[in-house]
Amino acid sequence: NPREPQNFRGEELGLPQQGVGALAGTGRRVLALLLDWTMATGVASLILGGYTTSGLISTIVLAVWFGVGLVSVSLFSFTPGQFIVGIQVARIDAHARVGFVRALVRQLILLFVVPAVVTDMDGRGMHDRATGTALLRTR
């Protein structure tokens, strides 16, 4: 029994085609990640006191990025970069907060990068499918 194709991304999820609450596009998602990674790099540089040639910098950047993502998505449903570009992580299975456990699983999967690149017909990565979340526009 073949399924009818969607008219737009997110239609089967009950999301609007455009505007607030619609699925965030790839450009916004990538820009948010770049902003978060840049901020994590700045914090890591402060932690190391400017010794960014140390082999430790990449580990500290990753740890800062992971921690900020976990805490901010758990508490606010967005990272600083996502807030700047106008998107947030939202549950698609219920009108409820993302919560700590989903945020933790989402961040752990994101560590592997590839699952975020493998997307479904809605443009949701494997990390969002596994946690029942999606990145939605807030403006």
Side-chain angles (χ1 to χ4, degrees):
N1 204 10
R3 292 182 1 191
E4 291 290 318
Q6 296 188 102
N7 293 316
F8 58 89
R9 290 179 340 126
E11 180 181 27
E12 287 186 8
L13 300 173
L15 302 173
Q17 184 174 3
Q18 301 176 23
V20 174
L23 287 170
T26 304
R28 284 182 190 234
R29 294 190 330 247
V30 170
L31 181 57
L33 176 62
L34 290 174
L35 289 169
D36 287 331
W37 199 260
T38 300
M39 288 183 242
T41 302
V43 171
S45 295
L46 290 172
I47 291 170
L48 290 175
Y51 295 104
T52 56
T53 56
S54 164
L56 195 55
I57 186 77
S58 58
T59 303
I60 293 176
V61 169
L62 184 62
V64 168
W65 172 83
F66 184 90
V68 168
L70 174 60
V71 170
S72 61
V73 170
S74 294
L75 295 176
F76 310 113
S77 298
F78 52 75
T79 66
Q82 290 168 349
F83 177 76
I84 291 168
V85 301
I87 61 177
Q88 72 177 14
V89 180
R91 288 181 55 177
I92 57 164
D93 62 341
H95 289 289
R97 298 176 72 76
V98 174
F100 180 80
V101 173
R102 285 177 197 255
L104 176 62
V105 171
R106 193 172 184 279
Q107 283 295 99
L108 286 171
I109 294 171
L110 278 171
L111 283 176
F112 295 99
V113 179
V114 173
V117 177
V118 178
T119 60
D120 64 9
M121 65 186 177
D122 292 313
R124 294 170 51 222
M126 292 170 67
H127 60 295
D128 281 325
R129 289 192 55 131
T131 57
T133 60
L135 276 169
L136 306 180
R137 293 180 55 180
T138 58
R139 59 180 182 262

